[in-house]
Amino acid sequence: MTHIFDELVEKQRAADQAHSRVEELRHSYGPPTQQGGWTGQQTSTYETAWRAWRDLDREAQSSVTEYAKESGKPRNEIEADVRQTVGRSRR
């Protein structure tokens, strides 16, 4: 599967957004062991968000690896370029 750089950026953005959602839920719900823990709905919501983040991040990382192999460039350079581009677009 051939990837273009813009696709890598979009996949990283999606993974970052999913991670932000997980962090928001952690902040909102507090520690799961605090005062009786989370409700069943909170646990389900958090686990769903966590799985989405994990899956999106895995896909982004896999695509970076594949792109690096296809382009003949070092993986760490591709990843740094992707993160730099994602970071620039947030400003």
Side-chain angles (χ1 to χ4, degrees), residues 58-71:
R58 183 185 312 126
E59 174 62 26
Q61 294 301 313
S62 175
S63 295
V64 166
T65 299
E66 190 172 321
Y67 183 87
K69 286 178 185 176
E70 291 171 355
S71 68

Side-chain angles (χ1 to χ4, degrees), residues 6-46:
D6 291 342
E7 289 175 346
L8 301 178
V9 170
E10 288 305 313
K11 287 180 181 190
Q12 187 60 55
R13 277 191 191 122
D16 289 353
Q17 288 172 346
H19 182 248
S20 292
R21 177 66 179 145
V22 168
E23 291 298 318
E24 289 170 10
L25 290 171
R26 283 182 188 159
H27 178 72
S28 175
Y29 295 167
T33 57
Q34 180 182 8
Q35 296 181 5
W38 294 344
T39 66
Q41 182 63 44
Q42 287 173 319
T43 299
S44 178
T45 299
Y46 179 82

